[in-house]
Amino acid sequence: MSDIESRLAELGVTLPDAPAPAANYVPFVTVGNLVHISGQISQDENGMIKGRLGDDMSIEDGAAAAKRCAISLLAQLKKAAGGDLSRVSRAVKLTAFVNSTPDFLDQPKVVNGASDFLVAALGDAGRHARSAVSAASLPFGVAVEIEGIFELK
């Protein structure tokens, strides 16, 4: 078991199967030692996590939705790494989209749900560059979508 998988177990997180693409794209592309993971929408074992920040969803619920995106990112990353998370060197960059009203200004607080989780799961290697932007709507009405770039050893 890799250090990352040990940390996930300590956090009580079991990675789901990597989600299948919802349209005409691939879930990840590896270029050199960088893995570019397509946007992962907020979903859990009960289905899609829908909502709009500043309307019908709290910052805390949005952060929990962002964490679920990060869990899906790691599931895709595990698949990209051939099932071996010990090959993960670091998180490089996240780009996060938050379904929010025009007057909602706390997108960074929502995306902290993903960032905090990646640091907890990957340690210092989970610290990353990031963008957290508002979106007028997201596919299927989900609350959050996050794409990521990770480095493999």
Side-chain angles (χ1 to χ4, degrees), residues 21-23 25 41 43 48-51 99 137-143 145:
Y25 63 90
I41 61 172
Q43 61 185 340
M48 292 182 217
I49 301 169
K50 299 180 178 185
N99 187 353
S137 66
L138 288 173
F140 312 110
V142 297
E145 180 175 351

Side-chain angles (χ1 to χ4, degrees), residues 20-152:
N24 187 16
Y25 63 90
V26 294
F28 59 84
V29 172
T30 303
V31 178
N33 62 342
L34 294 179
V35 178
H36 298 255
I37 301 175
S38 296
Q40 301 296 299
I41 61 172
S42 51
Q43 61 185 340
D44 60 18
E45 59 280 348
N46 298 315
M48 292 182 217
I49 301 169
K50 299 180 178 185
R52 192 166 193 211
L53 280 292
D55 183 14
D56 60 355
M57 183 172 256
S58 70
I59 291 173
E60 295 76 20
D61 289 341
K67 176 182 176 182
R68 294 305 307 193
C69 293
I71 290 170
S72 292
L73 284 169
L74 287 186
Q76 293 291 0
L77 184 58
K78 183 173 182 176
K79 187 173 180 179
D84 184 4
L85 285 175
S86 68
R87 292 187 56 213
V88 175
S89 177
R90 71 167 299 121
V92 176
K93 170 89 190 279
L94 297 183
T95 303
F97 304 92
V98 179
N99 187 353
S100 52
T101 61
D103 60 339
F104 184 78
L105 304 176
D106 288 322
Q107 290 82 6
K109 290 180 182 177
V110 170
V111 181
N112 280 345
S115 295
D116 293 346
F117 171 74
L118 287 176
V119 171
L122 304 177
D124 279 340
R127 298 190 187 286
H128 51 270
R130 177 181 99 174
S131 299
V133 297
S134 178
S137 66
L138 288 173
F140 312 110
V142 297
V144 182
E145 180 175 351
I146 303 176
E147 64 183 32
I149 302 170
F150 294 83
E151 181 182 36
L152 297 178

